[in-house]
């Protein structure tokens, strides 16, 4: 869903959806999902939407319940949710998940939910979640207490991508009172999760022991915080846009950031540029991780630092940093003459011999050059400015014990009859074959 109507609700109390928004949501996708825990928030979202859409639109609607298994009542909750969907005539899907070990049980449960969403949803599907204004307030307070920056203070986004699908929170402008009033009016029955009163969890503590006191002192606290998050979100979006424009000017044609543009800046500014560089590539790091990255890559240029993160790594070459995919094991193989061999970061085809073999990068090897002189492999790699991430992945071709070629970058003069076609992948930058 590339475009959305900014105001899904025309009225929070009573809860009424914008007909244009409904049309834009249901007309662009195969399936519209609702994250359905069975609590009052998701029940109201499901009930209100199911009763305000057409018969044709309801055929696209489905509720998705995630069974965490954390409560002894989890099986009963699943049964309740399935029965509720049956009464509403809405398709129901349940996903059972296993939580991974993490420092925070809340984070583990959240990650499991989102993984379940992505497992079930098709490309371009939409999932609606029932976060409301109170959740937004709690989130901002929670992040502020943890020392968040501008992006965190912009709060929960109304809409964002979820893989190739889309996540929307249509009730962010509605208060908890609006939702509970709707539930009472329509005599809904919902699940009461006992973990929601456990103040061991920070959000529960904020909801039950902090927010009520703030609201008593500042009656318009919720509206004011919502207004602030919207302004901060706009400011941060504009700031990110301008930052990306500057970074584009500082990056070379291969996407590498020339560190000379930022190395002489104060630490806070360096971290600012690192943050926006990584966020522009879809990578979000904590403040401490950013500081570690900055320290690694501001070290002496003769070092070869590497920072790994889920889904990729950061490396440096000639004082520019690059975001690269995760490394892969080097694929070694006998080459069949005339057949293209696909490897993780390249493909290669040799004609003229059925005995060529790809072997590991040799150590201490000397290369015979076309002028009859020899050059140490290590010096040749340096002179050719081969990035460190390519050096093990280059195709080292052997006939017997003799290194006869390195892709099409170097070829032993005595074996010029070999025809080599080599295609390095652009996923690892800064290398072009002579045959491309």
């Amino acid at each position: 869903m590339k475009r959305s109507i900014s105001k899904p609700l025309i009225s929070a109390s009573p809860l009424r959806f914008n007909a244009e928004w409904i049309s834009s949501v249901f007309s662009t996708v195969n399936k519209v999902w609702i994250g359905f825990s069975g609590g009052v928030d998701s029940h109201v979202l499901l009930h209100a939407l199911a009763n305000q859409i057409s018969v044709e639109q309801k055929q696209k609607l489905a509720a998705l319940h995630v069974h965490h298994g954390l409560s002894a009542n989890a099986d009963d909750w699943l049964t309740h949710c399935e029965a509720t969907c049956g009464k509403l005539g809405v398709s129901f899907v349940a996903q059972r998940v296993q939580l991974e070990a993490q420092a925070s049980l809340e984070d583990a449960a959240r990650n499991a939910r989102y993984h379940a969403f992505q497992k079930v949803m098709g490309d371009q599907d939409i999932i609606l979640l029932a976060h409301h204004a109170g959740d937004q307030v709690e989130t901002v307070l929670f992040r502020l207490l943890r020392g968040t920056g501008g992006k965190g203070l912009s709060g929960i986004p109304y809409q964002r991508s979820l893989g190739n699908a889309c996540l929307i929170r249509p009730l962010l402008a509605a208060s908890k009172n609006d939702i509970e009033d709707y539930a009472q009016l329509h005599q809904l029955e919902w699940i009461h999760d006992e973990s929601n009163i456990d103040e061991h969890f920070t959000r529960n503590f904020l909801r039950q022991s902090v927010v009520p006191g703030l609201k008593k002192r500042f009656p318009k606290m919720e509206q004011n915080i919502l207004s602030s998050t919207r302004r901060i979100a706009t400011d941060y979006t504009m700031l990110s846009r301008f930052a990306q424009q500057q970074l584009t000017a500082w990056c070379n044609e291969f996407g590498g950031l020339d560190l000379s543009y930022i190395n002489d800046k104060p630490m806070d500014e360096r971290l600012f540029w690192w943050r926006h560089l990584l966020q522009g590539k879809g990578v979000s790091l904590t403040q401490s991780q950013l500081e570690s990255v900055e320290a690694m890559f501001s070290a002496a240029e003769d070092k070869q630092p590497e920072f790994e993160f889920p889904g990729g790594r950061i490396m440096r070459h000639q004082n520019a940093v690059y975001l690269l995919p995760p490394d892969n094991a080097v694929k070694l193989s006998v080459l069949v003459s005339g057949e293209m061999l696909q490897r993780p970061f390249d493909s290669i085809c040799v004609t003229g011999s059925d005995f060529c073999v790809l072997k590991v990068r040799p150590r201490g090897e000397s290369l015979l050059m076309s002028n009859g002189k020899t050059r140490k492999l290590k010096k040749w790699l340096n002179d050719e400015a081969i990035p460190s991430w390519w050096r093990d992945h280059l195709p080292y071709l052997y006939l017997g014990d003799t290194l006869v070629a390195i892709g099409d970058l170097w070829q032993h003069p005595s074996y010029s009859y070999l025809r080599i076609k080599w295609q390095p992948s652009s996923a690892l930058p800064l290398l072009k074959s002579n045959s491309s």
Side-chain angles (χ1 to χ4, degrees):
M1 185 178 180
K2 296 181 180 179
R3 179 181 178 273
S4 64
I5 306 302
S6 60
K7 294 184 178 180
L9 297 178
I10 56 174
S11 171
S13 180
L15 201 62
R16 297 292 301 173
F17 289 101
N18 184 329
E20 188 181 358
W21 177 82
I22 290 176
S23 177
S24 73
V25 167
F26 282 88
S27 64
T28 58
V29 297
N30 292 323
K31 206 75 169 177
V32 176
W33 301 85
I34 289 183
F36 186 38
S37 68
V40 64
D41 303 333
S42 62
H43 194 159
V44 165
L45 174 59
L46 177 64
H47 185 277
L49 190 61
N51 283 283
Q52 294 176 45
I53 59 178
S54 67
V55 174
E56 292 78 13
Q57 290 167 338
K58 187 178 281 192
Q59 297 303 310
K60 291 185 174 184
L61 185 64
L64 176 55
H65 176 79
V66 179
H67 183 297
H68 298 94
L70 293 175
S71 170
N73 300 312
D75 289 339
D76 292 337
W77 295 345
L78 189 154
T79 301
H80 167 84
C81 290
E82 186 172 16
T84 299
C85 289
K87 293 176 183 177
L88 291 172
V90 173
S91 299
F92 175 79
V93 175
Q95 282 284 299
R96 294 177 182 267
V97 298
Q98 296 288 331
L99 302 192
E100 296 182 2
Q102 289 182 230
S104 167
L105 183 62
E106 293 170 288
D107 288 344
R110 179 185 180 277
N111 290 338
R113 280 195 301 276
Y114 281 83
H115 180 73
F117 294 163
Q118 290 182 277
K119 181 179 178 181
V120 170
M121 296 172 67
D123 287 355
Q124 310 306 318
D125 281 1
I126 288 175
I127 187 164
L128 308 177
L129 301 184
H131 295 101
H132 52 78
D135 294 319
Q136 184 73 289
V137 169
E138 292 166 16
T139 295
V140 172
L141 290 175
F142 180 68
R143 291 177 179 176
L144 183 61
L145 293 170
R146 294 178 67 179
T148 191
K151 185 178 181 181
L153 289 177
S154 66
I156 309 171
Y158 159 71
Q159 177 177 327
R160 71 173 179 85
S161 60
L162 187 64
N164 292 324
C166 179
L167 182 155
I168 299 177
R169 299 177 173 93
L171 301 186
L172 274 183
S175 70
K176 186 71 169 183
N177 286 340
D178 294 331
I179 291 170
E180 291 180 341
D181 288 347
Y182 181 98
Q184 295 293 343
L185 176 65
H186 294 276
Q187 299 181 333
L188 303 184
E189 296 181 2
W190 60 88
I191 289 167
H192 296 274
D193 185 345
E194 66 275 5
S195 69
N196 287 337
I197 61 173
D198 183 356
E199 293 198 5
H200 170 75
F201 299 112
T202 303
R203 288 181 181 274
N204 292 345
F205 169 72
L206 291 172
R207 184 183 308 125
Q208 292 160 189
S209 297
V210 176
V211 171
L214 289 173
K215 281 186 175 179
K216 185 175 180 180
R217 183 65 179 261
F218 305 99
K220 294 186 177 180
M221 180 193 76
E222 191 168 278
Q223 300 96 304
N224 291 341
I225 289 180
L226 290 178
S227 177
S228 293
T229 60
R230 286 192 290 267
R231 293 200 302 272
I232 292 172
T234 298
D235 291 348
Y236 193 83
T237 298
M238 296 297 293
L239 176 64
S240 296
R241 186 177 302 165
F242 293 134
Q244 290 304 320
Q245 290 174 355
Q246 182 62 78
L247 286 168
T248 298
W250 287 346
C251 287
N252 60 34
E253 61 179 307
F254 299 98
L257 172 64
D258 185 342
L259 292 176
S260 64
Y261 287 110
I262 67 172
N263 278 342
D264 61 346
K265 299 186 183 302
M267 171 64 80
D268 285 348
E269 291 187 29
R270 297 201 300 273
L271 293 177
F272 170 90
W273 291 114
W274 272 106
R275 180 180 300 110
H276 284 275
L277 172 71
L278 296 175
Q279 287 179 354
K281 305 290 186 180
V283 180
S284 181
L285 300 182
T286 64
Q287 183 73 5
S288 60
Q289 288 174 320
L290 277 177
E291 291 171 357
S292 296
V293 167
E294 198 285 326
M296 289 174 65
F297 291 95
S298 62
E301 291 186 26
D302 60 342
K303 304 295 184 183
Q304 297 292 339
E306 180 176 359
F307 180 85
E308 294 186 7
F309 56 88
R313 54 199 164 123
I314 306 168
M315 297 187 72
R316 184 178 64 185
H317 180 71
Q318 296 184 335
N319 206 38
V321 289
Y322 298 84
L323 269 71
L324 307 175
D327 202 5
N328 275 280
V330 179
K331 184 176 181 179
L332 307 175
S333 176
V334 174
L335 294 174
V336 178
S337 181
E339 292 187 8
M340 185 71 76
L341 176 69
Q342 298 290 336
R343 305 200 303 168
F345 297 118
D346 64 2
S347 59
I348 186 164
C349 177
V350 178
T351 55
S353 174
D354 282 323
F355 303 100
C356 281
V357 179
L358 291 177
K359 295 186 179 182
V360 297
R361 171 186 168 188
R363 305 292 174 178
E365 184 78 50
S366 292
L367 307 181
L368 180 61
M369 311 308 292
S370 58
N371 61 8
K373 296 183 179 180
T374 60
R375 192 188 308 176
K376 287 291 186 181
L377 173 61
K378 183 176 181 180
K379 179 170 173 44
W380 178 84
L381 291 169
N382 290 336
D383 290 345
E384 296 294 319
I386 306 296
S388 58
W389 53 81
W390 263 115
R391 297 192 176 193
D392 285 340
H393 287 281
L394 291 175
Y396 297 96
L397 280 74
Y398 280 79
L399 277 174
D401 294 327
T402 303
L403 177 64
V404 297
I406 304 175
D408 61 9
L409 302 175
W410 167 84
Q411 193 163 347
H412 195 295
S414 300
Y415 297 86
S416 59
Y417 61 87
L418 295 174
R419 295 292 177 263
I420 300 168
K421 184 176 183 180
W422 178 54
Q423 297 175 338
S425 167
S426 60
L428 292 186
L430 290 178
L431 211 56
K432 292 182 178 181
S433 73
N434 292 321
S435 58
S436 60

